[in-house]
Amino acid sequence: MKVIKSIPEVREAVKCAKKEGKTIALVPTMGYLHEGHISLVRIAGERGNFVVVSIFVNPLQFGPSEDLKEYPRDLNRDIMLLEREGVDLVFAPDVEEMYPEEQLATVEVKGLTEVMCGAYRPGHFTGVATVVMKLFNIVQPDIAVFGQKDAQQAAVIKKMVKDLNLPVEIIVGPVVREEDGLAMSSRNVYLNSEEREAALVLYRALKKGENLLDGGVRSAKTVIESIEKEFEKEPLARLQYVYICHPETLKEIINIEKGAMIAVAAFIGKTRLIDNILWEG
Amino acid sequence: MKVIKSIPEVREAVKCAKKEGKTIALVPTMGYLHEGHISLVRIAGERGNFVVVSIFVNPLQFGPSEDLKEYPRDLNRDIMLLEREGVDLVFAPDVEEMYPEEQLATVEVKGLTEVMCGAYRPGHFTGVATVVMKLFNIVQPDIAVFGQKDAQQAAVIKKMVKDLNLPVEIIVGPVVREEDGLAMSSRNVYLNSEEREAALVLYRALKKGENLLDGGVRSAKTVIESIEKEFEKEPLARLQYVYICHPETLKEIINIEKGAMIAVAAFIGKTRLIDNILWEG
């Protein structure tokens, strides 16, 4: 497994792989890998035969009051985990390599970025779309794999690819959870033991919503109120939003149908967590 | 020469050419071709060996009060001209092919798009950058050729390519002029014979500025005032801006040095024309 920090070297390595007829599959990450990431790497390995994992904590997607500095990093551990998975190439550039001069060009995805997390994290999805565009142009993958945990990110990237005719297929891997239901996230490391317990409220509330749907409820209002109530019972949690929408357009849904997504964001102490479920009906 | 309207067919044709080891050179145009475009096609032919010319009047770059509807079109004539130049492929999609659904994803290039034409045509360069990004992703050229006449466009595209790591080399071809100095433009067809005569003021004023520089003047203020005076003498002309700047950053220059660009935009009757010169010192 190669670990490369320079853009020209990545281009060269991918060029060689393409010459050998390989299908390039990219998994973009911010590192500090967990089983969620590893599941995406495995999907990449099933769909492609030259797997590239990028590890880059992208400053452009962090707001001024957000956790860029504190964001957990452990490149050596990440490399060890990826080596074990048989990854071909790790691209781990530093900030200077990715942003050598003032970044004036950005990718905006209107409509999909004003709702959900976008409403609370202005500029976040512009930062995400821009760095993913850069990574796509550097690596030029045939396939790229994202996680459903970051549902809005997946929707934004899909729309970017469609609208800008990017020659890459987007695959979205399912949410991976701890045994007790907590969605895997690099930010879970911020939680103390009390908060770790309290964080279960996200999935518990989503499951309560799902149960209502399974029981025949179709009103988004009823489902949302039930989820809000579940959060009220958890003193360490502060619900930011609950939103029911189409998983690709992110358009709000009033009367729920099969395929709808229920998404929540909440602070557990100072840690902001997100989660979602797709209701398959 | 192939004339193709569908995106998948273009991708296929380019893929075949790449397999043969060809270097793909793209010339993006809005059609109604003149000698200026043809000069770019020839540069493309010198630098690449599979020349693609796109012809697409891009609605996204026209303001609501601008000349989208009137913009001159003559696809058959364009095809004849390009056939004569030995072009390999003409990509002439319709609007439905390029924008099959609401275009939510766009490329913004801040800093470079608020000055010059950008100040008077809000959204124009977002439209330009977005369609060029789409064309680059569809054709995947090794090289793309733009004209220096649209100096701000060239600067915006270069910055987009650099900031978003697009794997394409941008070449800018010099302004091509009529014998009397008028810069070639598809919009020159709008001019009646009086206006055609009046339109010479753009190049005449630029040359006057250049003469000042050749004579040792270095103050942008002095050059700008001289250009403004030249316009005042022409009753059919209304100067929109004169701007002296670095040709890549478009940052305004106060004390002129070698390599500076002088750019003007003016209405001649109802027709808006632009022109510029690079002062080589």
Side-chain angles (χ1 to χ4, degrees), chain B residues 77-128:
Chain B
R77 186 173 156 278
D78 290 343
I79 288 169
M80 200 193 67
L81 289 171
L82 295 175
E83 181 108 57
R84 203 186 286 167
E85 295 297 322
V87 164
D88 298 279
L89 195 165
V90 173
F91 176 47
D94 60 21
V95 173
E96 272 296 296
E97 184 72 8
M98 290 295 278
Y99 301 114
E101 55 185 73
E102 195 185 357
Q103 181 80 21
L104 297 178
T106 56
V107 179
E108 312 275 339
V109 185
K110 294 189 184 64
L112 279 72
T113 55
E114 292 87 2
V115 296
M116 296 171 66
C117 296
Y120 300 93
R121 305 185 70 188
H124 170 65
F125 287 109
T126 296
V128 170

Side-chain angles (χ1 to χ4, degrees), chain B residues 12 41 43 51 54 65 74 88 113 117 136 149 172 192 197 221 228 235 249 268:
Chain B
E12 194 51 39
V41 170
I43 291 170
V51 175
S54 66
S65 66
D74 192 341
D88 298 279
T113 55
C117 296
F136 283 180
K149 213 275 258 139
V172 180
N192 65 30
E197 190 62 29
K221 190 164 173 282
E228 285 172 343
T249 65
I268 308 295

Side-chain angles (χ1 to χ4, degrees), chain A residues 19 21 34 43 53-54 61 67-68 81 84 108 115 128-129 138 182 199 205 215 223 227 259 261 272-273 279:
Chain A
K19 263 193 191 148
H34 51 65
I43 291 170
V53 176
S54 65
Q61 71 191 66
D67 59 342
L68 173 60
L81 289 171
R84 203 185 285 166
E108 312 275 339
V115 295
V128 169
I138 292 165
L182 180 67
V223 173
I227 288 173
M261 177 170 78
R272 189 177 175 280
L273 299 178
W279 184 60

Side-chain angles (χ1 to χ4, degrees), chain A residues 7 11 101-110 112 133-134 137 159 162-167, chain B residues 7 11 101-110 112 133-134 137 140 159 162-166:
Chain A
I7 292 171
R11 289 198 201 275
E101 54 185 76
E102 196 185 357
Q103 181 80 19
L104 297 177
T106 55
V107 179
E108 312 275 339
V109 185
K110 294 188 185 66
L112 279 72
M133 172 64 86
K134 286 169 72 74
N137 286 327
K159 184 63 174 157
K162 205 188 253 188
D163 278 4
L164 298 178
N165 305 91
L166 287 159
Chain B
I7 292 170
R11 289 197 201 274
E101 55 185 73
E102 195 185 357
Q103 181 80 21
L104 297 178
T106 56
V107 179
E108 312 275 339
V109 185
K110 294 189 184 64
L112 279 72
M133 172 64 85
K134 287 169 70 75
N137 287 327
Q140 294 176 254
K159 183 64 174 156
K162 204 188 256 187
D163 278 4
L164 298 178
N165 305 91
L166 286 158

